[in-house]
C-alpha cells in the first residue's frame, strides 16, 4: 500500500515536472513569437524608413543630374555658338580673301598684259638701238681714221701721249700736296714731339721732374741724421737696399730728401723712416723688418683706396685686379696731375655727360675711371704699347664691357671709336686735363696769359690798376679819373680789346671792363 502511494506520488511528481516543462516551453515559445513579431515590426519600420530615404536621395540625385545636364548643355551650346561664330568669321575672311585675290588676279592679268606689251616695245627699241649703235661705231671708226690722217698719229700713239701728260700733271699735284703736308707736319711736329716725350717719361720712369721724383722727410733735429746714417753709413745703405730709394742727406736743416721715380717706393721709404725715427731703434735688421711691414701696409692701403674709390663712384662688379690698379693710381701722376684724382674727375664728368645724352651713366663712369689704367703698368707690361691699348687689353682680360674696352682704347684715337661712349671719355679726359691749374704745362701757360693781359692794359696811359679774373676771360681796368674822362673810358675799353685781339692767342673771348670812379671826401669835425 505504501509502495503504491509512493508510486502514485512519484507519478504525480513526474507529471508535474512534465507539465512544468511543457508550460515553460509554451512560455518560451510565446516569448519567442513575441520577440519575432517585435523584430519584424522594427525591420518593417527600418525598411520603410530606408525606402523613404532612398526615394528622397534618388529624387535629389535625379535633380542634381538634371541640373548638371542643363549646365553641360548650356556650356555645349555656348561652345557650339562660339565655334559657329568663328566659322562664320572664318568664312567671311575667306570670302574677303577670295574677293581680294580675284581683284588682285584681275590686276595681275592686266599688268601681265601691259608687261607683255612693254616687252614687245622694249624689244623693238632694243633692235633700233643696236642698229644705231652699229652706225655710231662705224662713224666713230671713220672719225678716228680721219683724225689719224690729219694728226699723223695713230690712236695708240695719241693714247700714250695723253697718259704721259696725265702722269706729269698727277706728279705735280702730288708734289704740291706733299709740300703742303710737310709744312703742316713741321708746324705740329714740335707739339706732338713734346707730347710723346712727356708721355714716355711718365711711363718709363726717367727722373724728369723734381715734383715727381723727390719727397722731403722732415725730422725734429739734425742729430737724427747721424742715427739714420749709422756707423760707416750701414743704416742708410740698408734703407736704400730694402726700399730701392736714394736717400740724400745734405746741409738742408731738419730735412732728408728721398729720391725715386716710383711713388710707391718713396712712400714706403717715408713711412719706414717715420716708424724707425719714432721707435728709436735703427739698425739693419730692424730696418728690413719695418720695410717689409710697411710694404704690406701700403699694398693693403692700395686695395682699400681702390675699393673706396669704386664705392664712392657707385661702380659695382669690378675685378679685384682692376680695383688694385685703381688704388695704385694714387701713387702715379700724369703731367704733374695726380692720376687717381684725374680719373675720378673724368668718371664724374662722363657720368654727367652720359646722363645728359641719355646713355648709361654707370657704364660711362666705369669707362672714365678705367681710361688711364694703362699708365700704371706692372712688371710684365709691354712698355712699347701705348697706354690706351694696354689699358684696353687689361680691361678685356678681366671681362669688362665691350663699350668700356673700346672707350679705353680709343680715348687717344689709337683705335676706331665704335660707340658714343668713346668720344665722351675722350672729351672728359681733355676737360679734366685742360682745366686751369690741373697740369703743370697748362698752369704755366695760364699764368703767363694772365700776366700778358695785365701788361697790355698797363701799356695805355691813365691806367692805375689791372686785374685778369675769371681764368683770363675778363680784364678789369681801373683808371685815374683825373686823366681819363667818361668818353675816353669807353674808347679805352675798345682800344684794349683790339690790342688783345691782335697780340694774343686765347680760347673763347675776353671781356674788357674799364672802371672810372670819382670820390669826394670831406670830414666833419
Amino acid at each position: 500500500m505504501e509502495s503504491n502511494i509512493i508510486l502514485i506520488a512519484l507519478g504525480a511528481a513526474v507529471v508535474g515536472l512534465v507539465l512544468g516543462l511543457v508550460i515553460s516551453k509554451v512560455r518560451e515559445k510565446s516569448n519567442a513569437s513575441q520577440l519575432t513579431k517585435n523584430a519584424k515590426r522594427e525591420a518593417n519600420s527600418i525598411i520603410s524608413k530606408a525606402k523613404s530615404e532612398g526615394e528622397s536621395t534618388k529624387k535629389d540625385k535625379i535633380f542634381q543630374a538634371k541640373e548638371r545636364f542643363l549646365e553641360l548643355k548650356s556650356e555645349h551650346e555656348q561652345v557650339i555658338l562660339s565655334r559657329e561664330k568663328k566659322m562664320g568669321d572664318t568664312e567671311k575672311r575667306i570670302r574677303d580673301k577670295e574677293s581680294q585675290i580675284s581683284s588682285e588676279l584681275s590686276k595681275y592679268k592686266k599688268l601681265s598684259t601691259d608687261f607683255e606689251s612693254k616687252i614687245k616695245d622694249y624689244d623693238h627699241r632694243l633692235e633700233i638701238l643696236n642698229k644705231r649703235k652699229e652706225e655710231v661705231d662705224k662713224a666713230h671708226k671713220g672719225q678716228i681714221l680721219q683724225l689719224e690722217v690729219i694728226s699723223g698719229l695713230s690712236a695708240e700713239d695719241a693714247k700714250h701721249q695723253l697718259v704721259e701728260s696725265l702722269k706729269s700733271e698727277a706728279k705735280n699735284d702730288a708734289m704740291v700736296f706733299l709740300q703742303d703736308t710737310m709744312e703742316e707736319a713741321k708746324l705740329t711736329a714740335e707739339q706732338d714731339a713734346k707730347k710723346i716725350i712727356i708721355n714716355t717719361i711718365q711711363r718709363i720712369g726717367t727722373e724728369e721732374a723734381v715734383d715727381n721724383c723727390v719727397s722731403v722727410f722732415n725730422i725734429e733735429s739734425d742729430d737724427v741724421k747721424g742715427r739714420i746714417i749709422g756707423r760707416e753709413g750701414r743704416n742708410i745703405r740698408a734703407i736704400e737696399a730694402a726700399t730701392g730709394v736714394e736717400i740724400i742727406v745734405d746741409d738742408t736743416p731738419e730735412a732728408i730728401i728721398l729720391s725715386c721715380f716710383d711713388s710707391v717706393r718713396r712712400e714706403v721709404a717715408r713711412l719706414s723712416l717715420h716708424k724707425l725715427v719714432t721707435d728709436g731703434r735703427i739698425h739693419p735688421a730692424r730696418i728690413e723688418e719695418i720695410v717689409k711691414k710697411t710694404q704690406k701696409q701700403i699694398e693693403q692701403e692700395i686695395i682699400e683706396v681702390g675699393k673706396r674709390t669704386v664705392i664712392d663712384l657707385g661702380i659695382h662688379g669690378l675685378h679685384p685686379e682692376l680695383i688694385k690698379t685703381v688704388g695704385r693710381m694714387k701713387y702715379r701722376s700724369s703731367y704733374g696731375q695726380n692720376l687717381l684724382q684725374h680719373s675720378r674727375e673724368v668718371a664724374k664728368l662722363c657720368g654727367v655727360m652720359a646722363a645728359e645724352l641719355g646713355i648709361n651713366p654707370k657704364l660711362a663712369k666705369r669707362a672714365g675711371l678705367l681710361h688711364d689704367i694703362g699708365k700704371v703698368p706692372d712688371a710684365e707690361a709691354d712698355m712699347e704699347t701705348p697706354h690706351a691699348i694696354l689699358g684696353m687689353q687689361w680691361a678685356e682680360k678681366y671681362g669688362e664691357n665691350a663699350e668700356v674696352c673700346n672707350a679705353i682704347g680709343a680715348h687717344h684715337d689709337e683705335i676706331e671709336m665704335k660707340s658714343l661712349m668713346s668720344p665722351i671719355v675722350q672729351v672728359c679726359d681733355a676737360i679734366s686735363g685742360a682745366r686751369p691749374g690741373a697740369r703743370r704745362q697748362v698752369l704755366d701757360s695760364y699764368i703767363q696769359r694772365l700776366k700778358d693781359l695785365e701788361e697790355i692794359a698797363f701799356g695805355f696811359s691813365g691806367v692805375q690798376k689791372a686785374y685778369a679774373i675769371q681764368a683770363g676771360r675778363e680784364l678789369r681796368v681801373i683808371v685815374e679819373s683825373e686823366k681819363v674822362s667818361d668818353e675816353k673810358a669807353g674808347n679805352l675799353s675798345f682800344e684794349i680789346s683790339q690790342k688783345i685781339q691782335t697780340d694774343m692767342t686765347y680760347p673763347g673771348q675776353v671781356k674788357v671792363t674799364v672802371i672810372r670812379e670819382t670820390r669826394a671826401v670831406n670830414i666833419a669835425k
Side-chain angles (χ1 to χ4, degrees):
M1 199 60 188
E2 289 177 359
S3 61
N4 291 331
I5 292 171
I6 294 169
L7 289 171
I8 292 169
L10 287 171
V14 169
V15 171
L17 182 61
V18 170
L19 287 172
L21 288 172
V22 170
I23 291 169
S24 63
K25 290 290 183 181
V26 170
R27 286 181 178 177
E28 287 179 359
K29 188 175 182 181
S30 63
N31 289 332
S33 63
Q34 188 66 32
L35 289 172
T36 302
K37 290 178 181 179
N38 292 334
K40 286 181 178 180
R41 282 197 301 271
E42 290 179 359
N44 291 329
S45 65
I46 290 170
I47 288 168
S48 63
K49 185 177 180 181
K51 285 181 178 180
S52 63
E53 289 179 356
E55 289 293 331
S56 63
T57 303
K58 182 179 178 182
K59 290 178 181 179
D60 292 338
K61 291 296 182 181
I62 291 171
F63 181 72
Q64 291 177 2
K66 288 182 179 180
E67 288 183 348
R68 180 60 179 167
F69 174 74
L70 293 174
E71 290 177 359
L72 292 174
K73 184 179 179 182
S74 63
E75 291 177 359
H76 184 64
E77 289 176 352
Q78 290 178 358
V79 171
I80 291 172
L81 289 174
S82 63
R83 287 182 179 178
E84 289 179 352
K85 185 178 180 182
K86 288 181 180 179
M87 290 175 66
D89 294 340
T90 305
E91 290 177 355
K92 183 179 179 181
R93 286 198 298 270
I94 290 171
R95 287 194 297 271
D96 295 339
K97 288 288 183 181
E98 288 177 351
S99 62
Q100 185 178 0
I101 289 169
S102 61
S103 62
E104 292 291 336
L105 186 59
S106 61
K107 289 180 181 179
Y108 174 74
K109 288 180 179 179
K110 185 179 179 182
L111 288 173
S112 63
T113 306
D114 296 339
F115 183 69
E116 288 177 357
S117 63
K118 287 182 179 180
I119 288 175
K120 290 179 181 179
D121 185 34
Y122 173 75
D123 292 337
H124 179 66
R125 290 183 180 183
L126 184 62
E127 186 178 355
I128 296 172
L129 184 62
N130 290 331
K131 290 181 180 179
R132 290 184 179 180
K133 184 178 179 182
E134 291 176 358
E135 294 175 358
V136 170
D137 290 339
K138 290 179 181 180
H140 180 66
K141 289 179 181 179
Q143 289 177 357
I144 290 174
L145 292 173
Q146 290 179 3
L147 289 173
E148 288 178 354
V149 171
I150 294 170
S151 62
L153 294 174
S154 64
E156 292 296 329
D157 295 336
K159 187 185 296 182
H160 181 70
Q161 289 184 4
L162 179 62
V163 169
E164 290 296 329
S165 64
L166 289 175
K167 281 184 179 180
S168 61
E169 185 178 354
K171 188 175 181 181
N172 292 332
D173 294 341
M175 290 299 293
V176 172
F177 178 75
L178 182 62
Q179 186 72 19
D180 295 340
T181 305
M182 290 294 292
E183 291 177 359
E184 184 179 358
K186 287 178 181 178
L187 293 174
T188 59
E190 184 177 356
Q191 182 180 357
D192 292 340
K194 286 182 180 179
K195 178 181 177 182
I196 294 170
I197 291 170
I198 291 173
N199 191 22
T200 305
I201 288 171
Q202 292 287 341
R203 296 189 61 214
I204 299 302
T206 307
E207 297 185 5
E208 157 64 19
V210 175
D211 294 340
N212 284 346
C213 304
V214 173
S215 295
V216 178
F217 178 69
N218 297 314
I219 55 178
E220 295 179 356
S221 64
D222 290 340
D223 296 336
V224 181
K225 290 183 178 179
R227 295 169 56 194
I228 293 174
I229 295 172
R231 184 181 300 175
E232 298 178 356
R234 64 174 187 173
N235 289 344
I236 196 170
R237 285 197 300 271
I239 295 172
E240 290 180 346
T243 60
V245 175
E246 183 182 358
I247 299 177
I248 302 172
V249 182
D250 54 12
D251 296 335
T252 306
E254 298 181 355
I256 294 175
I257 298 174
L258 309 177
S259 177
C260 179
F261 182 78
D262 193 334
S263 303
V264 178
R265 291 183 181 179
R266 284 207 317 274
E267 185 67 12
V268 170
R270 189 186 68 80
L271 292 177
S272 300
L273 277 175
H274 177 72
K275 292 179 181 179
L276 289 168
V277 171
T278 303
D279 184 48
R281 295 176 294 169
I282 305 177
H283 53 83
R286 180 66 176 167
I287 289 169
E288 291 182 2
E289 179 185 353
I290 292 295
V291 169
K292 288 181 180 179
K293 289 183 179 179
T294 307
Q295 286 174 345
K296 292 181 180 179
Q297 178 184 345
I298 291 294
E299 290 177 359
Q300 188 63 33
E301 183 179 351
I302 285 172
I303 296 173
E304 291 298 326
V305 168
K307 290 181 179 179
R308 190 162 56 250
T309 301
V310 297
I311 290 172
D312 291 344
L313 294 174
I315 297 172
H316 305 286
L318 203 63
H319 194 278
E321 287 297 327
L322 293 180
I323 292 176
K324 189 175 180 181
T325 303
V326 170
R328 290 172 62 192
M329 288 183 182
K330 179 182 177 181
Y331 301 100
R332 297 289 295 181
S333 63
S334 176
Y335 299 96
Q337 184 182 19
N338 183 269
L339 192 58
L340 180 60
Q341 295 301 325
H342 167 65
S343 299
R344 287 172 64 98
E345 187 174 6
V346 171
K348 292 178 181 178
L349 289 169
C350 288
V352 174
M353 191 174 292
E356 291 291 335
L357 295 174
I359 302 172
N360 188 350
K362 292 185 177 180
L363 206 62
K365 282 185 179 180
R366 201 180 193 97
L369 178 64
L370 299 177
H371 80 283
D372 268 347
I373 58 174
K375 289 185 178 180
V376 194
D378 53 13
E380 299 177 357
D382 183 7
M383 291 299 178
E384 297 180 359
T385 305
H387 76 273
I389 303 298
L390 188 60
M392 180 186 69
Q393 292 173 355
W394 286 356
E396 290 174 347
K397 178 181 178 182
Y398 296 119
E400 283 299 314
N401 186 281
E403 291 186 9
V404 174
C405 296
N406 181 255
I408 295 171
H411 79 278
H412 284 311
D413 295 323
E414 274 86 1
I415 62 173
E416 182 184 358
M417 295 183 181
K418 296 182 179 179
S419 67
L420 193 56
M421 192 82 66
S422 303
I424 289 176
V425 173
Q426 186 181 53
V427 169
C428 293
D429 179 37
I431 291 171
S432 176
R435 177 172 49 82
R439 295 186 174 182
R440 195 165 45 252
Q441 288 181 335
V442 178
L443 177 61
D444 294 341
S445 61
Y446 163 71
I447 294 173
Q448 186 62 39
R449 181 158 60 87
L450 298 185
K451 290 181 179 179
D452 293 342
L453 280 172
E454 294 175 356
E455 287 176 0
I456 287 175
F458 283 120
F460 292 85
S461 62
V463 175
Q464 184 179 5
K465 295 179 182 179
Y467 301 100
I469 61 175
Q470 294 187 8
R473 290 190 292 271
E474 182 177 356
L475 179 64
R476 291 190 179 178
V477 182
I478 301 174
V479 297
E480 299 177 6
S481 59
E482 296 84 3
K483 296 182 179 180
V484 180
S485 63
D486 289 339
E487 183 179 355
K488 192 175 180 181
N491 296 331
L492 181 62
S493 174
F494 176 75
E495 291 174 1
I496 293 174
S497 65
Q498 293 299 310
K499 182 72 173 176
I500 293 171
Q501 186 173 346
T502 304
D503 296 351
M504 292 187 63
T505 301
Y506 51 89
Q509 58 186 10
V510 178
K511 179 182 177 182
V512 180
T513 304
V514 175
I515 301 172
R516 178 180 179 273
E517 183 180 21
T518 303
R519 294 187 183 185
V521 181
N522 290 293
I523 300 173
K525 295 183 180 179

